[in-house]
Amino acid sequence: MYKRKIETRLKSWLIDSSHKPLVVKGVRQCGKTSSVMAFAEQNFKHIVYLDFREHPEYKKFFSPNLDVNAIIMRITAAMPDVVIEPGDTCFIFDEIQDCPKARGALKYFHLDGRFEVMSTGSLLGVNGYKSKEEMEEEQEASIPVGFEDILNMYPMDFEEWLWANGIKQMHIDYLKKCMDEVSPVEAALHDRFRELLYQYVIVGGMPEAVSVFLKTKQIGKVLAVQRRIIDEYKADMVKYAPAVDKSRIRECFESIPAQLAREYKKFTYSVVKPRSRGRDYVGSLQWIEDAGIVKRCYNTEITELPLDGNKIASEFKVYMADIGLLISMLEDGTQSSILEGDLFGYKGAIFENLVADMLGKMGRKLYYYHKDGGVELDFLMRYNGRCVPVECKARNGNAKSMRTVLSHPEKYRVESAIKLGDYNVGIKDNMLTLPLYMTFLLTEV
């Protein structure tokens, strides 16, 4: 088990006297079950663990009714070794989306008050892609609005990756100090963080991939894990989507590397399939996003707050939510090219997705700015109460659009900007330059 940020949020949930049954949502294989189980083992004497994906027969515990005493009677009859004591027992419902009635039961566990319940779900954000029977079951279960607490969980972010590699809080505090004081990071530490960043680009944040890398240092074994996860995502697309959408969802998903290879990376449906129309694929793309596999980054009308109010709903880029999985979708050898810096044109796409990975795992929505006149800003973000453009460069770049925006504050309403790249900390003409590995420190809103 690696240290995960959700541990702090789980502690806050448990000590809140008004807490409700918990649902931890997140993409498949991001570490939900491991984190919830580890927390339960630390805080409860008895655990009743039900995995509805591995054991679909467990659904029968929630029929014909959702009375808590009746549910317990059914469970203990089928699992006689289970110990259930009020005040000392936590129920864990794993992959709860596969048993809507179990989610409906959260309301009655909350009203009963004798037991804690923690649940995990991989595809709870996916709506409209269920069979008729599954939809009827979900409607019958009556999802308990107002009777559950929800936490979103992501694959390991860059800071968690640093922790897994032995980086201490004193090192992160030092980076914060350098950023706040606009002072260069000393050479030895700068080189170490650069090394860790490039490794993170290849490995990403899927806990199993991280574990395999740290134990073996063999990229081939990491790649095998990542591609298996990709295959599981594709299997979900087949299992949970109706027949008419199965191929379209997969086509959208598999087009992402090609979408990012374009000079202007706006998602274009004709790249998915020649002469295809947006209305044929819009729901398919939404499915992938709702499943947590990708993050959408919207163009904005203007470079002003609020960014969500100024977004253009029909113009967006699509990034993989985890950078390591994007790299695994490319041809063999890409990993060594990243470490050697020999990616040529595609490196811009990789490092844009890296920044999207870091910002997305912080819970930030993603925005960019592009106008046909030639001004294009990789990202826009709310930072210290202002709209701040963020440019990312795999190597040193001149950031022409950034300088144009900063030189016309009367038009763009922008006072400062951030440039991320392969260099140290510095500032010039209201443009703060930061090494890419500092992106995770941009937490102020």
Side-chain angles (χ1 to χ4, degrees), residues 22-34 36 49 51-54 93-99 103 119-127 130 138 150-155 206 229 232-233 235-237 239-240 286-294 321:
L22 182 67
V23 178
V24 179
K25 295 170 57 178
V27 70
R28 180 192 286 278
Q29 300 288 339
C30 71
K32 301 181 299 299
T33 302
S34 297
V36 166
Y49 175 72
D51 182 342
F52 297 111
R53 175 158 293 185
E54 282 290 316
F93 299 156
D94 204 4
E95 301 293 0
I96 198 172
Q97 79 279 348
D98 283 359
C99 183
R103 194 172 180 192
S119 309
T120 73
S122 299
L123 294 165
L124 292 175
V126 177
N127 294 312
K130 296 180 174 65
E138 193 166 278
I150 297 178
L151 289 180
N152 289 307
M153 187 173 179
Y154 305 97
M206 290 297 172
I229 292 172
E232 290 179 3
Y233 288 174
D236 281 343
M237 295 170 194
K239 178 178 179 180
Y240 288 93
Q286 188 67 51
W287 192 98
I288 305 168
E289 182 181 23
D290 288 345
I293 298 170
V294 301

Side-chain angles (χ1 to χ4, degrees), residues 23-231:
V23 178
V24 179
K25 295 170 57 178
V27 70
R28 180 192 286 278
Q29 300 288 339
C30 71
K32 301 181 299 299
T33 302
S34 297
S35 294
V36 166
M37 281 294 292
F39 181 78
E41 288 169 355
Q42 293 168 7
N43 290 277
F44 299 98
K45 185 177 179 180
H46 306 294
I47 298 171
V48 180
Y49 175 72
L50 303 179
D51 182 342
F52 297 111
R53 175 158 293 185
E54 282 290 316
H55 297 278
E57 69 273 16
Y58 289 168
K59 294 180 182 181
K60 65 186 178 185
F61 299 152
F62 300 87
S63 293
N65 60 53
L66 299 180
D67 176 75
V68 172
N69 287 326
I71 292 171
I72 291 173
M73 182 176 66
R74 296 174 200 130
I75 291 173
T76 53
M79 306 166 69
D81 293 335
V82 164
V83 178
I84 300 175
E85 296 179 353
D88 289 322
T89 303
C90 178
F91 289 82
I92 295 179
F93 299 156
D94 204 4
E95 301 293 0
I96 198 172
Q97 79 279 348
D98 283 359
C99 183
K101 287 185 178 179
R103 194 172 180 192
L106 299 184
K107 172 181 178 180
Y108 302 100
F109 273 94
H110 177 63
L111 295 175
D112 181 277
R114 291 176 294 164
F115 310 100
E116 300 294 353
V117 183
M118 303 172 72
S119 309
T120 73
S122 299
L123 294 165
L124 292 175
V126 177
N127 294 312
Y129 286 94
K130 296 180 174 65
S131 68
K132 181 180 178 182
E133 293 76 14
E134 287 171 326
M135 291 176 67
E136 289 174 351
E137 183 182 359
E138 193 166 278
Q139 290 170 358
E140 181 185 350
S142 182
I143 300 305
V145 177
F147 289 93
E148 59 183 15
D149 292 328
I150 297 178
L151 289 180
N152 289 307
M153 187 173 179
Y154 305 97
M156 294 174 71
D157 64 21
F158 184 64
E159 186 171 17
E160 291 171 324
W161 162 259
L162 294 179
W163 295 342
N165 279 273
I167 297 299
K168 304 294 190 291
Q169 188 59 44
M170 61 181 287
H171 302 124
I172 294 172
D173 290 343
Y174 170 73
L175 291 186
K176 290 179 181 177
K177 183 173 182 288
C178 290
M179 186 178 77
D180 292 342
E181 297 179 356
V182 195
S183 59
V185 178
E186 61 181 62
L189 286 171
H190 180 63
D191 289 344
R192 176 58 175 151
F193 283 113
R194 284 181 70 251
E195 177 186 40
L196 288 170
L197 178 82
Y198 282 90
Q199 291 175 353
Y200 178 74
V201 171
I202 295 168
V203 178
M206 290 297 172
E208 186 180 356
V210 173
S211 179
V212 167
F213 177 77
L214 293 180
K215 288 178 181 177
T216 70
K217 302 297 184 181
Q218 295 183 34
I219 298 301
K221 291 187 176 181
V222 173
L223 189 58
V225 169
Q226 293 167 327
R227 289 182 173 168
R228 176 175 51 74
I229 292 172
I230 292 290
D231 288 341

Side-chain angles (χ1 to χ4, degrees), residues 218-287:
Q218 295 183 34
I219 298 301
K221 291 187 176 181
V222 173
L223 189 58
V225 169
Q226 293 167 327
R227 289 182 173 168
R228 176 175 51 74
I229 292 172
I230 292 290
D231 288 341
E232 290 179 3
Y233 288 174
K234 292 178 180 178
D236 281 343
M237 295 170 194
V238 172
K239 178 178 179 180
Y240 288 93
V244 69
D245 289 313
K246 294 182 194 298
S247 62
R248 291 175 179 172
I249 292 173
R250 185 161 178 164
E251 287 167 354
C252 277
F253 176 63
E254 292 178 343
S255 79
I256 292 172
Q259 300 278 356
L260 294 175
R262 302 164 67 235
E263 183 175 358
Y264 176 30
K265 299 172 180 60
K266 172 188 169 186
F267 191 90
T268 304
Y269 292 102
S270 61
V271 174
V272 178
K273 192 174 185 178
R275 296 183 296 280
S276 63
R277 298 169 296 182
R279 66 174 179 266
D280 295 330
Y281 284 89
V282 63
S284 302
L285 180 61
Q286 188 67 51
W287 192 98

